[in-house]
Amino acid sequence: MSSKTPKGLLVVYTGDGKGKTTAALGVVFRALGRGMKPAVVQFIKGKWKTGERTFAETLPGLVFLTMGRGFTWESEDISRDKRAAQEAWAEARRLISSGEHEVVVLDELTYVINYGFVPVEEVLEALAARPSHVHVIVTGRSAPEPLLAVAELVTEMKCVRHPYEKGIPAQVGLDF
Ligand code: ATP
Ligand code: MG
């Protein structure tokens, strides 16, 4: 392949340090500036509405989805979590294969794979079959080895220090 051939890259932001989701959102910000139509699927629904979700609603060029209502990793209803995860993955798959989004972020997808909700083979299959111009960014701790093996770019965030260790709680605008 010529070095000039456009190729969508698989990017993985993993590791225990803070910065994975925000790095991916930084790329989204950049892509929007280039007139692209990025898509974000968040495979986790926290307790709070995040700043990024609130802002995303004001950006017509951005597709921003969070997992189905009622989903939470704190839920005791595993089958409901699994179903929500699989529905979100089905939607993510559609967004990737449509070719309409030059950048697709699969935020916290690693958990969905590691919990066994979506087989890693299925993810690899969808990535391999995607239109060649589509960049995909996967975030989350403990990225599975088969995913790392096919990624063109892997960054591992290393936690040197985090305010949480001193009991400092998550900060509005910085953490969510
Ligand atoms: P961010 O969304 O800020 O980029 P992240 O995606 O790298 O963080 P996650 O593992 O998704 O991190 O965790 C999300 C939340 O957990 C964030 O509020 C973040 O501040 C916090 N967090 C991230 N890393 C650590 C850590 N090493 N210790 C404690 N809390 C952390
Ligand atoms: Mg994150």
Side-chain angles (χ1 to χ4, degrees):
M1 182 173 53
S2 142
S3 61
K4 291 209 173 121
T5 307
K7 166 140 175 47
L9 304 180
L10 173 62
V11 175
V12 178
Y13 294 140
T14 191
D16 292 337
K18 173 177 160 71
K20 302 174 290 294
T21 296
T22 45
L25 294 175
V27 176
V28 166
F29 193 96
R30 181 172 280 168
L32 285 168
R34 292 293 186 179
M36 293 177 175
K37 202 183 166 208
V40 178
V41 180
Q42 293 197 310
F43 286 87
I44 194 161
K45 184 167 166 262
K47 279 188 225 163
W48 308 300
K49 184 148 192 190
T50 58
E52 56 267 34
R53 257 175 82 192
T54 303
F55 185 51
E57 285 169 9
T58 71
L59 299 171
L62 178 62
V63 173
F64 198 98
L65 306 173
T66 45
M67 287 208 350
R69 279 178 71 81
F71 176 87
T72 161
W73 292 110
E74 287 141 35
S75 164
E76 283 167 16
D77 187 347
I78 290 292
S79 66
R80 193 182 61 179
D81 289 356
K82 185 171 179 177
R83 203 162 54 240
Q86 289 173 344
E87 281 167 14
W89 165 243
E91 189 55 38
R93 215 178 165 154
R94 275 194 289 277
L95 290 168
I96 292 167
S97 66
S98 76
E100 286 171 31
H101 310 281
E102 299 90 336
V103 176
V104 179
V105 174
L106 307 176
D107 189 37
E108 321 295 355
L109 180 71
T110 61
Y111 300 96
V112 165
I113 298 169
N114 292 337
Y115 272 63
F117 292 168
V118 173
V120 71
E121 295 77 22
E122 215 179 284
V123 174
L124 297 182
E125 196 185 294
L127 290 173
R130 78 191 190 275
S132 64
H133 65 284
V134 176
H135 300 298
V136 174
I137 305 178
V138 174
T139 85
R141 297 175 188 214
S142 309
E145 204 48 56
L147 194 69
L148 294 177
V150 297
E152 278 81 17
L153 192 163
V154 178
T155 295
E156 184 170 3
M157 305 294 174
K158 179 183 174 217
C159 184
V160 174
R161 188 175 301 139
H162 194 285
Y164 184 76
E165 295 156 23
K166 280 191 182 163
I168 301 169
Q171 304 289 306
V172 177
L174 189 72
D175 289 299
F176 64 94

